[in-house]
Amino acid sequence: MAMAAVAANPSATAEDPEPHREAVPGLESQRRQIENGESGRERPLRAGESWFLVEQHWYRQWEVYVQGGEQDSSTFPGCINNAKLFEDQINWCLKKGLVEGEDYVLLPSAAWHFLVGWYGLEQGQPPIERKVVELRGTRKVEVYPVELLLVPHRDMGTPHSAQFSQIDSIDLVLRTAREKFLVRPEKETRLWVKNSQGSFERLCNTRVTVLDAALKSGQLVVMETRSKDGTWPSAQPQAGNKASKEDEDFQGQPGICGLTNLGNTCFMNSALQCLSNVPQLTEYFLKNRYLEELNFCNPLGMKGEIAEAYADLVKQAWSGHHRSIVPQVFKTKVGHFASQFLGYQQHDSQELLSFLLDGLHEDLNRVKKKEYVELCDAAGRPDHEVAQEAWQNHKRRNDSVIVDTFHGLFKSTLVCPDCGNVSVTFDPFCYLSVPLPVSHKRVMEVFFVSMDPRRKPEQHRLVVPKKGKISDLCVALAKHTGVSPERMMVADVFSHRFYKIYQLEESLSSILDRDDIFIYEVSGRSAICENSREDVVLPIYLRERTPARDYNNSYYGLMLFGHPLLVSVPRDRLSWDSLYHILLYRLSRYVTRPSSDDEDDGDEKDPPVTASPILADMAAKDSIPKPGHVAGGSSQNPGPEQAGPSSGVAGGSRAPVNNSPGPSHWPQRARRKHLFTLQTVNSNGTSDRSNFNEDTHAQPYIAIDWEPEMKKRYYNEVEAEGYVKHDCVGYVLKKAPVRLRECIELFTTMETLEKENPWFCPSCKQHQLATKKLDLWKLPETLIIHLKRFSYTRFSREKLDTLVEFPIRDLDFSEFVKPQNESAPELYKYDLIAVSNHYGGLRDGHYTTFACNKDSGQWHYFDDNSVSPVTENQIESKAAYVLFYQRQDVARRAKPQPDLSDPPAPPACGQPPNSEFMDVN
């Protein structure tokens, strides 16, 4: 309590020359009442009670008087006089260094009042009342309270002194300062203290004591008052004072305020705008109800800092004095407590929203000490009984405005497939993450390369099962080309080389949408019988020798170009000469054959070429590679981590391997032919195999090496890069819109647990793939529905841009809630109040917000610092990501709906977006 020096009993002061005196008992009775008994000075101290100082000389005189036994004795002490204890008789400040037993004695309140009633108090003197405090387990009378210097933030030159007990709360210090500086009740204030280093620290928790806050006598305490625009004067930089003054003069609609993008913080801005337009939560902060519920000691919370930072944002946005505000302090606080949001990378607005709701809940949790609560299964009890118990247990540990506003209750039913045991539990939720009905089809773009050299590659758009195999891709292409799937090989081409050649049984999920897929026609699979002929499939690369450089025939002097090929070669024609002519035929569309005049007559003619040892070995090999397999190479070639386009049209690959003769059997020379030379290379196509210690059983790839001059004369690059589009390329897989009701139905549909997440059945004592069903049991005041647009698998990530049709008004949940309260149908009907939108893809998206102003009922579009009014028919779009619905019985808007015939209000900032803009990032 403040140590203001006031008389405990005004009638007992000496200001009245004839004060009313109680009937004076006998001297012995006086001694017993003052010295002993419940009211005497010998009784033990009790924390919080008042004791009084009496000057030592007067008290000794009184003791002599009562011990003498004569009431008319000359030893009568007269009025109580404490003058020797004061520095002066103006401010009545206690002298420093007074010692109990030498300068004063201490009397409990009752004994003091007895003495004052019997003898009176010297005129004008205040009683010296002091509190009993308990410090570290020891009780004592606090003779010298803490003297603080109070100053307002606007005028720190004239401090006001005030005394406080060490057990007084900081809230008393704040109230005392408000009284001294005449602050109006509706104004919000906070305290700062100047520490020994000369800097100022916030006194955040006003419920702690002066002792806990470590305040000392003589310390300066500054009271700061929030400005009418919602900002704190100390938070305004000096350079921004002018802008702040301009904002203070601006008067707009409260809540129509943009948020500056600090660098990829649109996700944060979108979540904040949605939450700011939840009426009951915003009113809770605007009316300062949060100040009484800040939880500074919750180990799961953020010491009230997130709640205070959010409150500052809400007060600024709803002051009506800002067109836009900069959420830098809030961003810093979020990054401090959640490291995933540090920096300026793009994040998910729903993830930020989840963190913020949890942080606000823990910062405002009314439960200061969470008790242990044991979770109980239904065990055959009625559902309503188990549900009520679960909700009560939840509230015993979690009780805040967030729980009041956003928390509901699930009913979860698990059934064991073996023993039939049924487990029913009830779990709280803060939002619903509902799946979107997903198509089981997938559209893939591929390039078909025919064996007919006259035909250009064809681009095809194929519809295949999402969980299909490579063989399904070949079957789909066969319908367009007439080529049997048995005669197809699928490859991923990257940077002019095969990244991977696929086996038919591999999953399509390993192919990403950005991969460039080529499907090659190869010779058919003949039955293995007498007189049958098998072909070998060779991977072929194109290389150009870099001019004017001699690197000893190393790969540094050769550059890959064009598209690689998969060429079927009859086993009985496996010779360099035959291979040269086969390749010349396959390249004939864009490689010109030289005429006899173009031959180099100066060179000696090459001798006839016979089959080389390696080709002869391959021709005799019993294990014959099938056309569906590459006759060599690894199934996963070294290469970049991700495939991308090569020059012009591109693709990717990988392949299984059959055993075949190794590099040591291949000729170690590159024979010069008329147009190009053939060279054995490794799977990367960048070096002579003889320089590498590859698997001796891995058949090499073949490189066609061109001299620059020969390539320029005979190789037509434009024709080589040419391709045609099949009619199917114009096909678009239509995505029919889905209703929000379908998403909720899918959410509440029974499902079987995955192998990675089994359930331990308490009956059969084993982990089981049980069936699980979720039902809605208790709905919150404000329901947040998260549409799960982002799909992540082991091999792919995608965003579902399906249009979800959702109602603006009267979203009815009655059919989804069990049990139903038929007498209160309004408990299940909701109206939309905000939408968080996401435009673009996974990597380069942008977040915005639609929100309905709680005061005007007008919808607005928030795009960072830009705000503009919109109509309700603009709200539904493919970008809708998180929906905020408010229950109709909670906040029926008191104001009438705006007349649709009235002209729209002028935009708060910028122009209203058109539908084309909002559908495209």
Side-chain angles (χ1 to χ4, degrees), residues 23 338 833:
I833 56 173

Side-chain angles (χ1 to χ4, degrees), residues 204 294-296 301-312 329-330 333-334 336-337 359-360 363:
C204 300
L294 283 170
N295 191 333
F296 297 99
M302 288 84 174
K303 300 179 181 178
E305 293 185 38
I306 286 292
E308 288 190 325
Y310 179 74
D312 287 347
V329 174
F330 181 83
K333 292 290 184 186
V334 169
H336 176 71
F337 291 106
L360 289 175
D363 272 1

